[in-house]
């Protein structure tokens, strides 16, 4: 799958962009050169937006884009053209840099898991757009509520169309090609920067390679920032097309930018439009402006809903941080920010400040030297970036300003690199370039080590469930998993107990779960559960069996699927019942009970911390906060011989190994997860008796995500592999005094 996602799919997407770019050349009679593929991606966005703007036209988006690509490939002799090896090498190098955090993990997955759940929303929206369109006529569910909140309020969808259409064409689930789409966008951004730098410097490939990976944009890419990557690409593309005088392609790129950012795109387009009017003939710019307005109609129509009074107030709210910790620094526009998570300040502040000053000085040098040669591409690019960032920072919330910084950063960094390379003083330019490039690569290496990768195996299991049980809804997930309810299980009308939902899912103690929380199925009131036909439950060594209305329909490594009988038979349900509870229920009808499963063997991780630096969480000896490396040891007594699964809770970026009696039996690395959830690490045969258990943690490697935030490890448990405990039928006399998960009174 990783080959299909990172090699096959990008080639398909580039083939579509190539064909669409050639069609644009044929229609506009412009020579796009290295801008052919970026302009083709803009065509995909604009053409794909037309059918999805209608409530039932989404299914035509992919065929329409394919038809445009085929028409372009047939109409133009692209294979006879000259090649630009420098641009190709720079573009491919950028693709590799953006791909490395996922490719080196060995799994086709995506980044930003648990850090920002917007990717789940984007996947769900993309699914809906190309399968049906922008309409949201669906049964009530978390999936439907997510679509209604976003598509129903005119959320700009342009950045979602390339991966959604690509998924439709290739048949690969959008989740596995989401990150490759971002890497392709970054590679095409490099081509645009190459086009702008080529008239000015002797080595434009270096400008393209470094300029396309500013730290803040790279950080957003590792958060799943498809909108920021696409917007940055289209802003630079618009500048490059304006400088070339390709006004029809410029109109297409401008319309695509509005599809991505709605009316906010006008902030970036205004300086470009002024430049085009000043240097080109009026009739041609007027015609291009009319074409732009026509192509932007879908975006302009949806903008009316998106920029409602409530939305505008949120976008301008000075306290709206979104997922930030504090407002970002304007200095991040320089593209150098050596810290694993761009939301925080670097530890090496002095070195960072020196490098930022160097970037600013080099950018001024680049603008001055380019203006002396009457080359306006790079100065215009810097102007567009600075103006756009300043406007968003001045009138937008900190969350919106941060996105603008990411969009503008390639402009500042690319002009600075070009300025350094254009300095002719002996060694000065080369040293300046080397320092800037080192700062950028250093920043991105730290982000690479901090990435939170989605668990491919667990999510692939949800995808299997979504296909196998399609139509068996409504379904409920009691864990917090936005990717399940917003994307993989969408055909089951899923709801998350702690997600955006249409129904209240009450706990037995009253109230509901807060967003991000998870709970065992036994914690929920029976009346809330009985609304659902299917339960998709995360497996756990301490989980309880669902009420007797449900039977196990499917079991995987990570999830169980339970399906409810058509008619409800349960009169009352009591969890962890006492004898008075059982006698009271016996008066209502026949009794059925779920005997408690075997108690898992919890490992006391805080017993012997070594080396120093490890600590427990409060007074809980089952959860530890490790230092960069080390191990904790404990002992467990196994009552019965058999095969046991090693279960681990918590979240960590480094590598965990579990050894029993000196033998490694389980392990894993980069396992980000939400609180209160367990994951199986492996299994082993154990004999009855006392066993030494060691948990070893290592965070010092260069695997992706090895330093992914503060690790929190535990609890650790050994649980005997077994099928769900059979139900027990009886009366008050036979059930009273037994250890039971629950007991129910059934209708006679």
């Amino acid at each position: 799958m990783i080959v299909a996602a990172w090699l096959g799919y990008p080639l398909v997407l580039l083939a579509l962009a190539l064909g669409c770019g050639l069609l644009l050349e044929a229609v506009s009679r412009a020579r796009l050169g290295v801008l052919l593929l970026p302009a083709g991606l803009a065509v995909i966005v604009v053409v794909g937006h037309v059918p999805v703007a209608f409530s039932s036209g989404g299914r035509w988006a992919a065929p329409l884009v394919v038809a445009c690509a085929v028409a372009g490939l047939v109409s133009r002799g692209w294979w006879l053209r000259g090649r630009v090896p420098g641009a190709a090498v720079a573009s491919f190098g950028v693709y590799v840099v953006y791909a490395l955090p996922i490719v080196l993990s060995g799994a086709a997955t995506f980044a930003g898991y648990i850090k920002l759940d917007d990717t789940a929303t984007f996947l769900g929206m993309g699914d809906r757009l190309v399968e049906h369109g922008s309409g949201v006529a669906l049964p009530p569910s978390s999936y439907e509520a997510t679509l209604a909140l976003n598509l129903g309020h005119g959320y700009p969808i342009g950045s979602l169309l390339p991966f959604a259409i690509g998924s439709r064409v290739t048949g690969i689930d959008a989740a596995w090609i989401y990150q490759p789409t971002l890497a392709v966008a970054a590679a095409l951004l490099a081509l645009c920067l190459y086009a702008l730098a080529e008239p000015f410097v002797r080595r434009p490939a270096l400008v393209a390679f470094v300029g396309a990976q500013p730290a803040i944009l790279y950080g957003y890419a590792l958060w799943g920032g498809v909108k920021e990557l696409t917007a940055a690409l289209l802003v630079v593309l618009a500048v490059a097309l304006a400088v070339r005088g390709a006004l029809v392609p410029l109109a297409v790129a401008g319309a695509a930018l509005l599809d991505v950012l709605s009316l906010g795109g006008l902030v970036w387009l205004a300086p470009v439009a002024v430049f085009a009017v000043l240097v080109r003939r009026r009739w041609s710019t007027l015609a291009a402006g009319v074409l732009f307005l026509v192509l932007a109609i879908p975006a302009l129509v949806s903008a009316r809903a998106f920029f409602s009074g409530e939305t505008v107030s949120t976008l301008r709210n000075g306290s709206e941080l979104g997922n930030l910790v504090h407002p970002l620094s304007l200095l991040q526009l320089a593209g150098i920010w050596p810290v694993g998570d761009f939301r925080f300040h670097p530890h090496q502040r002095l070195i960072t400040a020196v490098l930022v000053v160097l970037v600013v000085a080099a950018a001024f040098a680049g603008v001055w030297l380019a203006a002396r040669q009457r080359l306006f591409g790079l100065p215009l690019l810097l102007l567009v970036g600075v103006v756009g960032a300043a406007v968003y920072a001045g009138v937008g919330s900190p969350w919106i300003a941060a996105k603008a910084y990411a969009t503008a950063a390639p402009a500042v960094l690319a002009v600075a690199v070009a300025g350094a390379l254009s300095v002719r003083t002996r060694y000065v330019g080369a040293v300046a370039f080397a320092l800037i490039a080192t700062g950028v690569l250093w920043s991105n290496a730290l982000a690479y080590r901090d990435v939170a990768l989605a668990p491919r195996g667990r999510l692939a299991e949800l995808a299997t469930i979504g296909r196998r049980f399609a139509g068996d809804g409504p379904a409920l997930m009691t864990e917090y998993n936005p990717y399940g309810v917003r994307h993989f299980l969408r055909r089951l009308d899923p709801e998350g107990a702690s997600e955006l939902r249409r129904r209240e899912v009450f706990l037995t103690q009253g109230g509901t779960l807060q967003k991000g929380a998870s709970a065992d199925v036994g914690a929920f009131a029976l009346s809330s559960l009985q609304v659902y036909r299917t339960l998709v439950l995360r497996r756990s060594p301490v989980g309880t069996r669902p009420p007797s209305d449900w039977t196990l329909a499917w079991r995987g490594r990570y999830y169980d699927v339970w399906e409810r009988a058509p008619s409800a038979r349960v009169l009352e349900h009591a969890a962890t019942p006492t004898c008075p509870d059982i006698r009271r229920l016996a008066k209502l009808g026949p009794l059925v009970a779920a005997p408690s499963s075997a108690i898992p063997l919890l490992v006391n991780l805080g017993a012997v911390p070594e080396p120093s630096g490890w600590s427990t969480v409060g007074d809980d000896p089952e959860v530890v906060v490790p230092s960069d490396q080390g191990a904790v040891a404990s002992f467990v007594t196994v009552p019965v011989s058999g095969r046991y699964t090693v279960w681990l809770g918590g979240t960590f970026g480094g590598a965990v190994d579990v050894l029993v009696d000196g033998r490694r039996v389980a392990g894993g690395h980069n396992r980000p997860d939400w609180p209160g959830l367990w994951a199986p690490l492996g299994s082993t045969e154990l004999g009855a008796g006392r066993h030494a258990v060691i948990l070893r943690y290592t965070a010092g490697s260069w695997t992706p995500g090895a330093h992914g935030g503060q690790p929190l490890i535990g609890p650790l448990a050994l649980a005997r592999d077994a099928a769900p405990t059979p139900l027990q039928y009886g009366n008050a006399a036979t059930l009273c005094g037994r250890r039971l998960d629950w007991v129910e009174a059934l209708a006679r």
Side-chain angles (χ1 to χ4, degrees), residues 158-297:
S159 61
L160 315 181
L161 294 175
F163 76 79
I165 292 171
S167 174
R168 195 76 169 172
V169 172
T170 61
I172 303 175
D173 192 291
W176 317 136
I177 61 173
Y178 184 85
Q179 209 71 36
T181 303
L182 301 186
V184 169
L188 299 186
L189 168 63
L191 292 180
C192 297
L193 294 174
Y194 185 97
L196 286 168
E198 187 177 22
F200 180 52
V201 297
R202 294 176 57 186
R203 296 180 178 86
L206 295 177
V207 176
F209 177 72
V210 177
Q213 44 177 316
I216 186 172
L217 187 63
Y218 192 73
Y220 264 98
L222 299 187
W223 262 19
V226 65
K227 184 187 293 186
E228 291 75 25
L229 262 294
T230 309
L233 161 63
L234 292 174
V235 166
V236 182
L237 174 62
V239 173
L241 291 171
V243 171
R244 288 185 173 222
L247 296 183
V248 170
L250 174 59
V252 174
L257 188 58
L258 256 63
D259 290 337
V260 170
L261 298 179
S262 191
L263 295 182
L266 294 175
V267 173
W268 307 98
L269 291 175
V272 179
V274 171
F275 175 84
V277 169
L278 292 177
V279 302
R280 301 297 168 190
R281 291 173 294 183
R282 291 185 178 180
W283 69 267
S284 58
T285 54
L286 178 61
V290 172
L291 176 61
F292 163 73
L293 291 175
V294 171
L295 296 177
I297 287 175

Side-chain angles (χ1 to χ4, degrees), residues 646-701:
V646 179
W647 294 85
L648 184 65
T651 179
F652 54 91
V656 163
D657 295 298
V658 178
L659 295 82
V660 178
D661 299 330
R663 177 173 55 92
R664 184 183 183 276
V665 298
H669 66 277
N670 199 348
R671 296 288 182 91
D673 212 344
W674 285 281
L677 298 173
W678 296 78
L681 293 186
S683 59
T684 185
E685 294 286 343
L686 294 177
R690 195 165 185 257
H691 296 271
V693 179
I694 296 176
L695 182 142
R696 185 171 60 208
Y697 181 74
T698 305
S701 71

Side-chain angles (χ1 to χ4, degrees), residues 275-639:
F275 175 84
V277 169
L278 292 177
V279 302
R280 301 297 168 190
R281 291 173 294 183
R282 291 185 178 180
W283 69 267
S284 58
T285 54
L286 178 61
V290 172
L291 176 61
F292 163 73
L293 291 175
V294 171
L295 296 177
I297 287 175
L300 296 174
V301 170
S302 61
R304 181 177 181 182
F306 184 63
F307 282 93
S308 62
E310 181 179 351
T311 303
V312 170
S313 62
T314 301
L315 296 178
R316 298 190 62 181
N317 187 346
S319 62
E320 180 56 56
L321 291 174
N323 217 41
L324 301 176
V325 178
H326 49 70
L328 296 190
S329 170
L330 189 65
L331 299 179
Q332 292 183 251
L333 279 173
I336 296 174
W337 205 248
V339 65
D341 188 329
F342 67 88
R343 295 175 297 175
F344 300 99
H345 292 292
H347 298 297
Q348 306 293 337
R349 295 199 178 190
L350 178 59
I351 297 176
T352 302
V354 170
L355 292 175
V356 168
V357 170
L358 177 61
V359 168
V360 173
F364 276 115
V367 169
W368 182 65
L369 293 172
R372 287 184 59 187
Q373 300 177 43
R374 302 186 62 81
L375 297 173
F376 300 111
L378 291 175
L380 177 61
L381 177 63
L382 184 62
L383 175 66
V384 170
V386 171
V387 168
V391 170
Y392 275 100
V395 303
S397 67
W399 178 242
I400 297 301
K403 293 174 177 288
Y405 295 166
T407 302
V412 178
L413 182 58
V415 174
V417 174
L421 292 174
S422 63
V423 173
R424 302 303 182 200
T425 306
R426 185 178 180 85
Y427 300 127
V428 172
V431 170
F433 166 77
L435 290 174
I436 293 172
T438 300
V440 171
L441 296 177
W442 174 31
S443 301
N444 294 344
L446 295 177
Y448 160 93
R449 300 185 72 191
D450 200 62
V451 64
L453 297 178
R456 161 73 193 209
R458 195 188 313 155
L459 296 184
E461 199 165 281
L462 284 177
T464 298
I465 294 170
R467 292 189 298 268
R468 182 165 181 168
F469 294 93
D472 291 351
L476 175 69
M477 296 190 77
T478 61
E479 68 162 314
Y480 179 70
N481 193 321
Y483 300 94
V485 297
R486 300 183 203 174
H487 173 62
F488 291 109
L489 303 180
R490 61 189 181 278
R491 294 185 176 89
L492 280 76
D493 301 324
E495 282 198 304
S498 59
E499 259 278 15
L500 181 67
R501 56 188 181 267
R502 294 302 193 187
R503 309 172 182 89
E504 294 292 347
V505 187
F506 291 103
L507 300 168
T508 55
Q509 303 299 321
T512 60
L513 290 179
Q514 297 298 314
K515 180 178 174 65
S518 302
D520 180 70
V521 66
F524 294 93
L526 177 64
S527 58
S528 291
L529 295 179
Q530 286 178 325
V531 175
Y532 300 96
R533 179 180 176 185
T534 302
L535 301 176
V536 181
L537 304 180
R538 178 84 169 264
R539 293 187 61 187
S540 161
V542 296
T544 58
R545 189 192 190 285
S548 62
D549 280 357
W550 281 270
T551 57
L552 183 63
W554 185 86
R555 165 159 279 197
R557 174 177 170 83
Y558 302 98
Y559 289 96
D560 287 338
V561 179
W562 298 77
E563 291 201 316
R564 185 168 177 263
S567 58
R569 303 183 301 121
V570 180
L571 296 178
E572 190 172 338
H573 177 97
T576 57
T578 62
C579 283
D581 294 327
I582 294 174
R583 286 192 286 267
R584 179 178 58 82
L585 293 179
K587 297 177 182 179
L588 302 178
L591 299 181
V592 61
S596 294
S597 304
I599 298 176
L601 306 173
L602 291 173
V603 180
N604 189 340
L605 295 177
V608 187
E610 54 178 77
S612 62
W614 288 54
S615 61
T616 58
V617 177
D619 297 327
D620 186 357
E622 297 171 358
V623 181
V624 295
V625 180
S627 57
D628 283 348
Q629 60 184 12
V632 289
S634 188
F635 294 91
V636 296
T637 300
V638 175

